Amino acid sequence: MGFTWTKSLMTGIKAVDDEHQALIEQVEKLYEAMSSGQGNKRVKEILDFIERYTKEHFQHEEKLYEKYAYPDLKRHKEIHRKFIADFEPLKEMALSHSEDKTNAIKINKVAMNWLMNHIGKEDKKACLYIKENQ
């Protein structure tokens, strides 16, 4: 769908930005795999990676935010937990319709909208706090 990492998504904290960029690249790979009919095995590999990497990324962010006593950490953690819960139905939809371009578009749109909003608002706000309080 043409969504790629842009400088506008940068938080200014390299480790966070690198992980965000990797997640966006994987979501784009998922879309490509589904829309080009690469099959369930390939789609499952990408989904498993996204699920595992997202959890690791959230842990990294939360430890960083804890280190700097980010005041909105509790709410940020709740947002992360909600995404993890919401990811399961997306994963099931992708696996049950792995070669359906319409579902590929829906899944890509949901994932990319979530990433853009979360990175663009929540993570930028938290990282700005960290940079100001280092």
Side-chain angles (χ1 to χ4, degrees), residues 91-107:
K91 184 177 178 180
E92 288 174 18
M93 184 192 320
L95 290 173
S96 63
H97 304 288
S98 65
E99 297 181 16
D100 182 333
K101 190 166 185 159
T102 302
N103 278 324
I105 292 168
K106 286 180 192 174
I107 292 164

Side-chain angles (χ1 to χ4, degrees), residues 20 54-55 57-59 61-62 65 70 72-87 113-126:
H20 288 161
T54 299
K55 289 176 182 176
H57 167 67
F58 287 167
Q59 288 175 354
E61 271 190 1
E62 289 169 10
Y65 300 167
Y70 178 54
D72 208 13
L73 178 60
K74 182 179 178 185
R75 189 177 71 77
H76 201 94
K77 284 182 176 183
E78 289 170 4
I79 292 168
H80 286 170
R81 299 305 163 256
K82 181 167 178 3
F83 177 81
I84 290 168
D86 291 347
F87 184 77
N113 282 339
W114 191 89
L115 284 168
M116 287 175 52
N117 286 323
H118 185 72
I119 294 168
K121 295 176 185 171
E122 301 297 331
D123 288 340
K124 278 189 167 190
K125 183 171 74 171

